[in-house]
Amino acid sequence: MLPALVRKTWRDDRLALIGWAGGVAAFTAIYTSFYSQFQGAAELKQDALPQGMLDFLGIADMLSPAGYLQATIFSLVGPLLVLMCAITLAARTIARPEEDGGMELMLANPVSRTAFAWQRVGAAGSALTGIAAIPGILLMIIVPWIGMDIPLSNVAAASAGLVALVWSFAGVAFLVGAATGKRASVLAITGGLAVATYMANAIGGMLDGWHWVRWLSPFHYFIGTDPLHTGWHPPELLTLVLLGAVTTIAGVIVFDRRDIGV
Amino acid sequence: MPGRKADDDVGMTSDIALLTEDLTKFYGQRRGIEGLSLEVRAGEVVGFLGPNGAGKTTTIRLLLDFLRPTRGHASVLGLDPRSDKAALHRQIGYLPGELVFPGRDKAEDLLRFFAAARGGVAWSQVTELAERLDLDLSRSVRTMSKGNKQKVGLVQAFMHRPAVLVLDEPTSGLDPLMQQEFLAMVRDASGAGQTIFMSSHVLAEVQQVADRVAIVRDGQLVAVERVESLGKRAVRAVEIHFDDPVDPAEFSVLPGVSDVVVSGPVLKCTVDGRIDPLIKAAARHEVVDMLSAEPDLEETFLSFYYHGEGAGDASRAGA
C-alpha cells in the first residue's frame, strides 16, 4: 500500500488535479479537432503573420499536420498550461503547507524529513506526469481518427518532450519551495525562469550570434529539435529529465537541513 | 532516589523522557531560547510556563525537529530529534500552538490519515477520545469553531497513546467544561505512565495536573519548581483591619511585604514568602479582622517575570 502521506497529498489536491486535467484535455481535444476546418483558413493566417513573428512563436508552418500541432499544442499555449499546473502543484508540496501551517501536523508523523519530502514530491510529480501526458495520449487517439498525416512516433516524441519539460520546471519549482518555504518565491522565480528561458529559445533562434543562448533554455531541448518532423532525440530529453532529477534531489537535501516554518 | 546510584547511566537514559542541555536557538539576531537545560522524567507532568514570546513554542519546535538548535542539544526518550525523527515521532503526541490542519477533510478522514501515518491506530481509541471531548467527527475541520478544532488536535495527539505528549497551549479555545475534561485526560495519561510536557501562559490549569513547572522569561529558564513548593513561596494578598489608623511606613519596610495601601484603619498588602513578619508587626496593634486569600499562583507566576530574576524577597521589597 502507498504511504498515507502520498494518498493524503492526492486527496487534498484532487480538485486542482481534476481541474487541470480537464483543462488540458479540453484544450488538446478542441484544438486538434479543429484541424480539418482550419485547413482552409490556415493559408490566410500564415500570410497574415510576418515570418519573424512566426519564428518567435515557434511556428514553422501551419499548413502541414506537424506544423499545425506545433503551432497549437506544442509551441506556446500547451507548454504554458502544463507549466502553470506544474508550478502550482510543486508549490503545494512544501511551500504552501509550510506557509499556512498545515505542514506541522503532517511532519509530526513518523517519517524522516527526507521521506516526507520524497513522498510529497512523489505524489505531486506522479499526478503532474499524468496531466502532462494527457495531450500525448489524446493525440494518439485523435490524430489517426481525424486522419492527420503525421507519424505517431513523432507525436509521441514531442509529447514525451512535454512531459520532460514539465519535470524539469517542476524540479526547479520544488527546489525553490523546499529551500525557501515561500509560495510567492516559487511562483515568481520559476515563472520568471520559464518566461526568460522561453524568450531565450525564441530570440536565440532569430538573432545571429545569439544561437548559443538557446542551449541554456529547457524549451530548446523540448522543441528545438523539431520532434514532430524529426522524431526522437534521447539526449535532449535526457537533459530535461536530468535537470528535473538534480533539482528535486537538491530540494530534498536542502529541506532536510533547514528550519521549518520560521 | 535511593538505590539508583549504581546504575546511574542506564537509569538516566531510561528514566528521563525529555532532556535539553544548553539548548539555544537564535533566529538571526533575535533570541528564541538560550541555554535551556531541563530534565523531565518518564511519567511526569511538567507545565512549561511563560508569557507570550518567552520561547515556549521555540523550545517545543526544537524538540519536534522543526527547528535545529544554534547551540546545545535536546533528546527525547534518549533519541535524537533529528537523526531518529521517524522512530521518535511514533512515540510522540504533538499538539501545535497554531493549529492548522492539512486539507479540507472531515474530522474522521483526517484522523484516519493520522492513524494510517502512524502505522495503524485502533479506531476505538479515536472514537473514545471523540466521545470524551464531545466531538462530532462527521464535520469538516475547516468549518469547525476554534474549540472544536482544538478537540480534533487533542484527539490526534492522544490517539496513538504516545510515550510522550508535547502540547503547546492545549486548552486554548476550550470551554471550562472541556478544559476540565482535558485535565482529566492528562491525569489518565500520566497514570498510564505517559510523560506530558505542556506549555501554557495560564498557571491555574497547569497547577491542577502538573508535578513541576518550568518557567521561562525572555528566552531563559528562570525557575523549575514542584507545584507544591511554588505554593509555599506563593504571593498572597492580605487585608488587615485595625482598631485605629496605622502608618503604612511601619509595614512597607517588612521583608516580603509590598504594595502596601493603608486607608484609615485598613491595611492591604501582598506578602511574598513567610507571613510571619507581617503578623508580628500587626500584633503590636489591635487587630479586628484579618483576611488572607488562598496563595494565588497566578500572581506568583507573574512576579517571576515582572520583578526580575527569581522574584526573591529582595526584588519584591524593592518593587
Side-chain angles (χ1 to χ4, degrees):
Chain A
M1 185 135 89
L2 283 160
L5 185 62
V6 172
R7 287 178 280 137
K8 168 79 175 157
T9 305
W10 282 334
R11 198 166 70 237
D12 288 349
D13 286 348
R14 65 183 181 275
L15 281 182
L17 295 179
I18 292 167
W20 281 110
V24 171
F27 162 79
T28 311
I30 290 166
Y31 263 93
T32 321
S33 314
F34 276 160
Y35 176 66
S36 32
Q37 286 97 314
F38 186 76
Q39 276 313 285
E43 239 162 308
L44 278 174
K45 271 204 177 173
Q46 178 101 9
D47 294 342
L49 292 171
Q51 189 58 40
M53 181 61 101
L54 290 176
D55 286 347
F56 182 76
L57 293 173
I59 302 167
D61 69 293
M62 288 170 86
L63 297 174
S64 73
Y68 180 81
L69 281 185
Q70 168 106 345
T72 53
I73 310 290
F74 291 107
S75 66
L76 186 61
V77 186
L80 188 76
L81 259 181
V82 287
L83 285 186
M84 276 166 56
C85 169
I87 294 170
T88 53
L89 282 183
R92 282 165 172 247
T93 53
I94 284 175
R96 200 175 87 155
E98 182 168 352
E99 263 181 347
D100 74 20
M103 190 157 80
E104 285 214 351
L105 278 175
M106 291 193 277
L107 256 183
N109 288 317
V111 288
S112 67
R113 278 266 191 105
T114 47
F116 174 86
W118 279 121
Q119 288 177 21
R120 288 295 278 181
V121 78
S126 55
L128 194 52
T129 304
I131 290 170
I134 288 174
I137 293 165
L138 285 178
L139 288 177
M140 290 298 130
I141 301 162
I142 296 173
V143 164
W145 186 31
I146 62 171
M148 282 178 104
D149 183 22
I150 177 172
L152 281 184
S153 159
N154 290 7
V155 176
S159 306
L162 188 63
V163 173
L165 180 78
V166 159
W167 280 354
S168 66
F169 276 102
V172 172
F174 172 73
L175 170 58
V176 176
T180 64
K182 300 215 161 40
R183 195 161 166 265
S185 302
V186 176
L187 303 184
I189 294 174
T190 322
L193 217 57
V195 171
T197 54
Y198 182 86
M199 302 279 283
N201 181 50
I203 291 170
M206 290 162 65
L207 299 179
D208 290 332
W210 285 88
H211 285 273
W212 60 272
V213 300
R214 297 196 304 177
W215 296 98
L216 301 175
S217 171
F219 289 93
H220 172 69
Y221 299 90
F222 155 54
I223 205 77
T225 52
D226 199 8
L228 288 166
H229 285 111
T230 61
W232 291 88
H233 296 270
E236 277 78 4
L237 295 184
L238 207 64
T239 306
L240 292 177
V241 173
L242 221 59
L243 175 59
V246 168
T247 46
T248 302
I249 291 167
V252 172
I253 292 171
V254 174
F255 181 68
D256 186 40
R257 285 160 181 250
R258 70 172 173 93
D259 292 339
I260 300 300
V262 182
Chain B
M1 224 178 276
R4 280 276 323 281
K5 291 233 154 55
D7 58 346
D8 237 11
D9 277 1
V10 182
M12 287 298 270
T13 47
S14 59
D15 196 38
I16 288 176
L18 212 146
L19 175 75
T20 71
E21 283 173 328
D22 192 30
L23 191 64
T24 301
K25 180 67 189 176
F26 277 86
Y27 306 97
Q29 289 295 306
R30 195 163 55 84
R31 179 172 62 188
I33 190 87
E34 188 171 13
L36 182 86
S37 295
L38 185 67
E39 268 182 25
V40 177
R41 285 185 296 281
E44 207 177 9
V45 179
V46 170
F48 193 44
L49 297 163
N52 295 325
K56 303 189 297 285
T57 298
T58 296
T59 305
I60 284 175
R61 300 188 78 239
L62 283 162
L63 294 173
L64 270 289
D65 186 51
F66 297 139
L67 301 176
R68 303 280 162 66
T70 310
R71 200 175 71 221
H73 82 281
S75 77
V76 182
L77 299 169
L79 299 172
D80 180 63
R82 180 175 179 181
S83 56
D84 306 315
K85 179 185 178 299
L88 187 52
H89 282 207
R90 200 176 294 281
Q91 304 181 65
I92 294 184
Y94 170 58
L95 178 74
E98 296 251 340
L99 194 51
V100 180
F101 297 111
R104 303 175 174 280
D105 290 337
K106 286 188 296 179
E108 176 172 348
D109 295 332
L110 181 71
L111 291 168
R112 283 196 191 278
F113 158 65
F114 287 124
R118 290 164 195 174
V121 172
W123 193 245
S124 60
Q125 284 168 216
V126 175
T127 51
E128 236 168 68
L129 285 166
E131 240 165 73
R132 206 168 165 177
L133 290 167
D134 193 21
L135 172 68
D136 179 3
L137 292 178
S138 65
R139 301 246 330 264
S140 157
V141 286
R142 281 279 159 119
T143 62
M144 279 184 178
S145 67
K146 185 165 171 12
N148 280 325
K149 280 185 186 164
Q150 194 71 7
K151 292 178 187 177
V152 176
L154 286 170
V155 172
Q156 67 80 30
F158 280 79
M159 64 193 267
H160 53 305
R161 299 194 176 148
V164 176
L165 282 148
V166 179
L167 311 172
D168 196 355
E169 306 276 349
T171 55
S172 91
L174 295 182
D175 62 43
L177 206 65
M178 283 304 143
Q179 288 186 13
Q180 288 309 312
E181 193 54 50
F182 162 72
L183 295 175
M185 279 163 62
V186 169
R187 275 186 213 104
D188 292 352
S190 167
Q194 290 166 282
T195 307
I196 293 109
F197 186 69
M198 55 187 269
S199 82
S200 176
H201 56 270
V202 186
L203 205 145
E205 66 181 35
V206 168
Q207 185 190 346
Q208 293 184 48
V209 288
D211 301 308
R212 289 191 301 155
V213 294
I215 298 173
V216 282
R217 177 187 1 108
D218 294 335
Q220 283 174 328
L221 188 67
V222 291
V224 184
E225 298 215 32
R226 299 203 64 78
V227 167
E228 308 94 83
S229 50
L230 203 61
K232 265 181 214 128
R233 55 178 299 170
V235 176
R236 68 188 78 215
V238 178
E239 189 175 319
I240 304 175
H241 295 238
F242 296 100
D243 231 2
D244 300 304
V246 291
D247 179 11
E250 191 185 334
F251 295 94
S252 54
V253 297
L254 297 170
V257 174
S258 59
D259 305 331
V260 176
V261 178
V262 173
S263 49
V266 179
L267 168 94
K268 288 181 184 173
C269 64
T270 54
V271 181
D272 188 350
R274 281 151 51 80
I275 197 166
D276 187 58
L278 179 65
I279 299 290
K280 294 271 160 65
R284 291 200 286 270
H285 301 269
E286 191 76 13
V287 176
V288 177
D289 198 2
M290 180 171 150
L291 305 163
S292 171
E294 179 86 0
D296 185 352
L297 287 186
E298 205 70 51
E299 244 175 89
T300 306
F301 175 44
L302 285 172
S303 75
F304 270 111
Y305 51 89
Y306 287 146
H307 303 282
E309 204 91 2
D313 288 359
S315 62
R316 290 289 303 180

